[in-house]
């Protein structure tokens, strides 16, 4: 059983590495790529436990490359989850690293019922990021 899980992770590692090799400088963010790689990261890093974000936005932001936003609606007494990404990144690797980084924050709220700090749980993904040739910071 354990070997199968490693093979799945290895397959995604190859797929992500291939995408980065094809990646260009000055990568332009698309909704299609956000959804595609969210699904890949969800399967490879979170065992398919994350539900899709309620909303995804591509917009300019100051002093951040992406963010996970928890939106409280006091009138309806609901919580929704949004992902915000920049329209452009220096390259595809930075886009993928940022998306995966925000997915960890999402998992902190959804799976761990904790906060979105850069804590022990957050950094527990460092070795997986390294295997995917991504950086976690």
């Amino acid at each position: 059983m354990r070997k199968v899980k490693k093979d799945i992770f290895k397959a995604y590692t190859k797929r992500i590495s291939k995408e980065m090799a094809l990646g260009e400088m000055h990568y332009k963010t698309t909704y299609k790529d956000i959804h595609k790689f969210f699904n890949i990261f969800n399967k490879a890093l979170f065992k398919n436990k994350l539900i899709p974000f309620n909303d995804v936005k591509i917009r300019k932001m100051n002093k951040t490359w992406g963010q996970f936003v928890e939106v409280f609606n006091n009138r309806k007494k609901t919580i929704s989850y949004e992902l915000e990404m920049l329209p452009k990144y220096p390259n595809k690797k930075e886009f993928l690293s940022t998306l995966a980084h925000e997915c960890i924050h999402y998992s902190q709220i959804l799976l761990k019922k904790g906060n979105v700090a850069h804590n022990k749980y957050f950094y527990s993904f460092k070795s997986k990021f390294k295997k995917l040739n991504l950086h976690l910071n």
Side-chain angles (χ1 to χ4, degrees):
M1 184 81 154
R2 186 136 173 96
K3 185 175 172 65
V4 173
K5 288 181 182 177
K6 283 187 177 182
D7 291 343
I8 290 169
F9 188 78
K10 193 174 184 178
Y12 286 117
T13 302
K14 286 180 181 178
R15 189 170 174 185
I16 290 168
S17 294
K18 180 183 172 188
E19 288 285 338
M20 282 192 295
L22 297 172
E24 61 280 345
M25 298 299 287
H26 308 293
Y27 172 78
K28 186 176 182 208
T29 307
T30 65
Y31 289 103
K32 181 180 175 182
D33 276 354
I34 290 172
H35 292 292
K36 173 183 171 182
F37 288 104
F38 170 82
N39 290 331
I40 289 171
F41 292 140
N42 190 15
K43 289 174 187 166
L45 300 173
F46 306 103
K47 300 175 186 169
N48 222 18
K49 291 182 180 176
L50 298 181
I51 57 173
F53 290 98
N54 298 101
D55 194 15
V56 175
K57 297 177 181 175
I58 298 173
R59 67 180 195 87
K60 291 182 180 180
M61 296 175 277
N62 292 324
K63 299 181 183 180
T64 187
W65 285 33
Q67 60 187 11
F68 158 74
V69 181
E70 196 173 17
V71 180
F72 298 94
N73 185 325
N74 289 329
R75 188 174 56 83
K76 293 182 181 179
K77 307 285 188 235
T78 60
I79 300 172
S80 62
Y81 305 102
E82 296 178 358
L83 172 69
E84 297 179 350
M85 300 287 286
L86 289 175
K88 293 181 184 176
Y89 289 87
N91 53 54
K92 197 162 194 174
K93 181 177 181 175
E94 296 300 335
F95 162 75
L96 293 172
S97 293
T98 302
L99 177 58
H101 176 117
E102 298 309 326
C103 286
I104 294 174
H105 287 311
Y106 186 34
S107 76
Q108 286 174 306
I109 293 295
L110 214 58
L111 306 177
K112 296 295 179 186
K113 307 292 186 216
N115 61 32
V116 293
H118 291 185
N119 55 21
K120 188 176 180 179
Y121 173 78
F122 181 88
Y123 286 110
S124 70
F125 288 89
K126 197 165 188 104
S127 63
K128 290 182 179 181
F129 269 54
K130 190 173 185 177
K131 288 177 185 173
L132 294 171
N133 197 25
L134 301 173
H135 59 83
L136 178 63
N137 55 5

